[in-house]
Amino acid sequence: MPVPWFLLSLALGRSPVVLSLERLVGSQDATHCSPGLSCHLWDSDILCLPGDIVPAPGPVLAPTHLQTELVLRCQKETDCDLCLRVAVHLAVHGHWEEPEDEEKFGGAADSGVEEPRNASLQAQVVLSFQAYPTARCVLLEVQVPAALVQFGQSVGSVVYDCFEAALGSEVRIWSYTQPRYEKELNHTQQLPALPWLNVSADGDNVHLVLNVSEEQHFGLSLYWNQVQGPPKPRWHKNLTGPQIITLNHTDLVPCLCIQVWPLEPDSVRTNICPFREDPRAHRNLWQAARLRLLTLQSWLLDAPCWLPAEAALCWRAPGGDPCQPLVPPLSWENVTVDKVLEFPLLKGHPNLCVQVNSSEKLQLQECLWADSLGPLKDDVLLLETRGPQDNRSLCALEPSGCTSLPSKASTRAARLGEYLLQDLQSGQCLQLWDDDLGALWACPMDKYIHKRWALVWLACLLFAAALSLILLLKKDHAKAAARGRAALLLYSADDSGFERLVGALASALCQLPLRVAVDLWSRRELSAQGPVAWFHAQRRQTLQEGGVVVLLFSPGAVALCSEWLQDGVSGPGAHGPHDAFRASLSCVLPDFLQGRAPGSYVGACFDRLLHPDAVPALFRTVPVFTLPSQLPDFLGALQQPRAPRSGRLLERAEQVSRALQPALDSYFHPPGTPAPGRGVGPGAGDGT
């Protein structure tokens, strides 16, 4: 639809500025080129398929620079469309190869070269345009005479008239040849916007100011502009008259764009993306980004917008040392948002983490395997390097670097190097990665630490025996407090998502002075002993040590309890062999029926998943807490019975809540589904 003259005047400035733009008459696209060149525009658009880069068969024409210019395409004297003219500058790249015989040279005839060093060059140049919501590609054929063919020299340009775009829109342009011999050129052109749409800041809030008449009806849409794929709508509403729309600063991301249009047939839509360079938007983008483990080897990065990032695996040892990138032997991999990526791992390990860097700065780091495999282990990572003639070398990764084995250095791995090599040869180390150049092995260190410090502990015990009984009792009490209370976590494996949520809770509790046991981390023992025997052993050990049994209720757990209370027995066929909760009911129920449960059991359930009133009355004879809303009380119930209430209880509850929140978000709001209340704009989530 042609833009009225007064709108163009408003957008482009005073009338002399508008009049200074070149006018094109008619609706047909056209092309022209520099003197000496011949060019032709294909009659119809083509598919935008760049294809892979292929080797040049000899000298070829290649785009070297894009130049844009605004022009007017007018149907009438005062009804014109804003149009973008593009000039593609071309140069000769490559060299003639010396032919071995006439037959070999003749094989290159399909490249458009007939006589070596004395022939014209031809090229098919593609121009690709993208301006939300429009995209198109055109093909320009160019021929350069032999007299102008000089290696590495510019031969002129070909001009395309022209690509129509709406006021305020952002036009992305790519240019490449077909076939593609080099990386495509790209250029972004921001067209002038109408002055009645403004963006202003007020503290932490952002205002969209629309200065239109009171009778004007218009539509307003917010969307995430995507580099690949269609835009993602976020909010839309039809409005009337002047408006001030308030956005919270936490809703800003670089790809958040605004589209405004009058509610009239064939109206011009104005698009602006004002937050592309906003530092707050970039901070929000990384805060919203999440890493998600799909399988042992595959994972992806969830984020609202495209991110220039690369990722690598790192090894995180207990004790607070920085996570050490495993580059080499592994390499950094480019990351594409919402695209599945893979690491060539043979096994997972809780100490393996993923680091995501952008502009050589660490932005994200998550230990994706910790939720399912438990807390960090005191293992040593061995790096095996393989050379020619079956030569190989080993080194142990430590905070100071990679220590060669065997070694006379004074590091921990060097002192235990002989034992580590023996464990590696006897198969006690877990292989994490393997290829022709090397391998990664995780070797346990607990037993060596115990052996090394046995004499030291003996000396300490002899010295402690000489002290008074009071000091000895205080020391024993301090050791017991530091060791933490034992907690056995029982749950019903309703689905894999709930199991990941349970794993996240168990991992978070391990960061506190608690020793957590859960069947998720004991699959091997569970399979070997059977669920009933495994639970009886764990329950007996936990209660003998003065620990606590946590019953984590879910809809599946409530159904199992109700079935037991009604029938007194439950068939094994409906659940898998690892369902310890089902097996545990045979001895949990007697503890409740005989009044032995208070003080040794607590119950818990997740907010929004189950109301405490849904728990059978028999099990409500012990406290039942909802998580995470009652985390402080829940953690207080897990403390030693006579332990004083620590002033750090609220701090620990906040720590557990932060660790649990990503798993809760993933369970209740899987990727791809909008979270309630997280829309942008006024009345978030109620867009029309």
Side-chain angles (χ1 to χ4, degrees):
M1 173 182 176
V3 182
W5 185 257
F6 79 94
L7 285 182
L8 280 176
S9 301
L10 285 174
L12 301 177
R14 298 182 177 180
S15 295
V17 176
V18 180
L19 294 173
S20 65
L21 295 181
E22 182 179 342
R23 297 191 183 192
L24 305 177
V25 179
S27 59
Q28 295 297 320
D29 294 347
T31 184
H32 57 276
C33 44
S34 301
L37 308 184
S38 59
C39 51
H40 170 70
L41 172 67
W42 273 38
D43 295 335
S44 58
D45 291 355
I46 64 171
L47 294 176
C48 301
L49 300 174
D52 296 329
I53 296 178
V54 299
V60 294
L61 292 177
T64 58
H65 177 62
L66 294 177
Q67 186 175 356
T68 59
E69 178 186 2
L70 290 178
V71 296
L72 297 177
R73 172 174 281 172
C74 302
Q75 304 295 331
K76 298 180 182 179
E77 181 66 22
T78 58
D79 283 333
C80 301
D81 282 320
L82 198 59
C83 211
L84 194 61
R85 169 184 288 168
V86 181
V88 184
H89 295 265
L90 303 170
V92 178
H93 288 180
H95 298 277
W96 292 114
E97 297 181 358
E98 293 295 337
E100 296 180 1
D101 51 45
E102 293 297 328
E103 180 180 356
K104 175 180 177 181
F105 190 80
D110 59 352
S111 65
V113 180
E114 298 178 356
E115 294 294 335
R117 307 179 183 275
N118 189 25
S120 62
L121 289 181
Q122 295 181 356
Q124 292 185 335
V125 180
V126 177
L127 280 175
S128 174
F129 300 92
Q130 181 178 334
Y132 178 73
T134 304
R136 59 179 298 205
C137 285
V138 297
L139 183 66
L140 312 175
E141 289 187 335
V142 185
Q143 183 170 359
V144 179
L148 297 180
V149 176
Q150 299 182 15
F151 303 124
Q153 298 295 319
S154 174
V155 296
S157 61
V158 56
V159 179
Y160 168 71
D161 284 330
C162 59
F163 177 75
E164 296 181 10
L167 290 168
S169 63
E170 178 187 81
V171 183
R172 295 179 179 177
I173 310 167
W174 291 268
S175 180
Y176 50 88
T177 59
Q178 227 175 32
R180 189 160 66 99
Y181 302 117
E182 298 181 359
K183 181 178 176 62
E184 64 266 23
L185 295 179
N186 65 82
H187 177 77
T188 301
Q189 178 73 40
Q190 182 68 53
L191 272 62
L194 295 176
W196 41 264
L197 175 59
N198 252 325
V199 179
S200 62
D202 179 16
D204 286 341
N205 295 324
V206 173
H207 297 315
L208 306 181
V209 182
L210 296 105
N211 296 316
V212 298
S213 63
E214 295 184 357
E215 300 81 12
Q216 178 68 59
H217 300 277
F218 61 93
L220 176 67
S221 175
L222 304 181
Y223 63 94
W224 287 344
N225 193 22
Q226 304 295 299
V227 173
Q228 295 180 347
K232 297 180 179 178
R234 302 295 298 164
W235 185 79
H236 165 75
K237 206 163 191 178
N238 294 334
L239 303 169
T240 303
Q243 294 280 345
I244 298 179
I245 311 298
T246 301
L247 303 178
N248 192 290
H249 72 97
T250 58
D251 296 325
L252 305 184
V253 290
C255 61
L256 180 62
C257 298
I258 307 160
Q259 185 179 81
V260 184
W261 67 96
L263 295 178
E264 300 171 355
D266 299 327
S267 59
V268 175
R269 298 196 174 202
T270 299
N271 298 271
I272 61 172
C273 302
F275 309 111
R276 189 177 294 106
E277 305 299 331
D278 192 318
R280 295 175 301 176
H282 284 272
R283 286 195 298 269
N284 292 340
L285 178 58
W286 281 111
Q287 290 173 359
R290 291 289 181 271
L291 298 177
R292 185 156 59 92
L293 185 66
L294 302 178
T295 65
L296 168 66
Q297 296 179 323
S298 61
W299 60 280
L300 59 78
L301 173 64
D302 283 330
C305 313
W306 174 82
L307 289 170
E310 55 183 5
L313 285 175
C314 65
W315 179 264
R316 183 182 178 188
D321 291 321
C323 198
Q324 297 175 272
L326 301 179
V327 180
L330 302 178
S331 60
W332 289 97
E333 300 289 342
N334 291 328
V335 178
T336 302
V337 173
D338 293 333
K339 180 180 179 182
V340 176
L341 301 171
E342 291 189 355
F343 283 123
L345 292 176
L346 300 177
K347 298 285 185 180
H349 195 282
N351 295 28
L352 281 176
C353 306
V354 177
Q355 286 184 338
V356 179
N357 283 9
S358 180
S359 302
E360 299 183 355
K361 180 181 178 182
L362 178 63
Q363 297 288 359
L364 277 179
Q365 177 178 298
E366 292 190 27
C367 300
L368 300 178
W369 294 269
D371 286 346
S372 58
L373 299 178
L376 300 179
K377 296 183 178 180
D378 193 13
D379 291 358
V380 169
L381 186 70
L382 299 186
L383 278 67
E384 178 183 348
T385 304
R386 296 167 183 163
Q389 300 178 353
D390 295 331
N391 291 330
R392 72 171 190 168
S393 61
L394 285 167
C395 67
L397 189 65
E398 298 186 281
S400 58
C402 206
T403 304
S404 298
L405 296 181
S407 172
K408 296 182 179 181
S410 59
T411 64
R412 182 180 72 159
R415 290 192 293 268
L416 300 175
E418 181 180 348
Y419 301 104
L420 291 172
L421 294 175
Q422 290 176 359
D423 282 353
L424 181 62
Q425 293 174 358
S426 62
Q428 297 184 43
C429 297
L430 179 67
Q431 187 173 20
L432 306 179
W433 170 78
D434 181 62
D435 75 354
D436 295 337
L437 300 179
L440 295 176
W441 306 82
C443 299
M445 291 287 288
D446 293 342
K447 57 182 179 181
Y448 302 121
I449 295 175
H450 296 160
K451 289 180 181 179
R452 178 172 182 80
W453 291 102
L455 295 176
V456 178
W457 277 111
L458 180 60
C460 291
L461 291 175
L462 292 174
F463 177 76
L467 299 177
S468 66
L469 181 61
I470 297 176
L471 293 178
L472 182 59
L473 292 175
K474 288 184 177 180
K475 183 175 182 180
D476 289 341
H477 178 74
K479 286 174 62 179
R483 187 165 178 254
R485 193 182 188 190
L488 174 60
L489 189 59
L490 297 179
Y491 68 101
S492 173
D494 292 5
D495 53 51
S496 59
F498 187 73
E499 282 193 309
R500 287 193 291 271
L501 188 56
V502 173
L505 175 61
S507 296
L509 294 178
C510 283
Q511 305 303 317
L512 308 178
L514 289 171
R515 292 177 289 114
V516 180
V518 63
D519 67 338
L520 265 177
W521 302 342
S522 305
R523 295 298 197 197
R524 183 179 300 172
E525 294 86 350
L526 196 67
S527 298
Q529 301 175 18
V532 175
W534 181 87
F535 168 74
H536 276 283
Q538 293 294 327
R539 171 187 165 277
R540 182 175 61 253
Q541 180 181 350
T542 300
L543 296 183
Q544 286 177 351
E545 295 177 0
V548 60
V549 178
V550 180
L551 300 178
L552 190 57
F553 288 100
S554 64
V558 169
L560 279 174
C561 293
S562 300
E563 183 180 348
W564 265 88
L565 291 173
Q566 292 173 6
D567 302 331
V569 67
S570 182
H575 292 259
H578 303 309
D579 195 347
F581 186 85
R582 187 181 187 86
S584 69
L585 291 179
S586 61
C587 59
V588 166
L589 284 175
D591 287 344
F592 280 85
L593 293 172
Q594 299 172 18
R596 298 194 303 266
S600 299
Y601 288 77
V602 297
C605 58
F606 289 107
D607 295 322
R608 294 182 291 168
L609 182 61
L610 187 74
H611 194 276
D613 292 341
V615 176
L618 176 64
F619 296 95
R620 280 185 270 134
T621 56
V622 300
V624 178
F625 303 95
T626 57
L627 307 179
S629 60
Q630 293 182 328
L631 261 175
D633 295 334
F634 176 65
L635 297 183
L638 298 184
Q639 287 185 330
Q640 296 285 355
R642 292 178 298 277
R645 281 294 181 111
S646 170
R648 297 182 58 194
L649 193 59
L650 290 177
E651 178 182 345
R652 289 173 175 172
E654 182 65 21
Q655 176 184 350
V656 173
S657 179
R658 285 196 303 269
L660 192 58
Q661 195 58 47
L664 287 169
D665 292 341
S666 178
Y667 184 79
F668 290 107
H669 309 294
T673 62
R678 289 299 298 159
V680 293
D686 63 350
T688 59

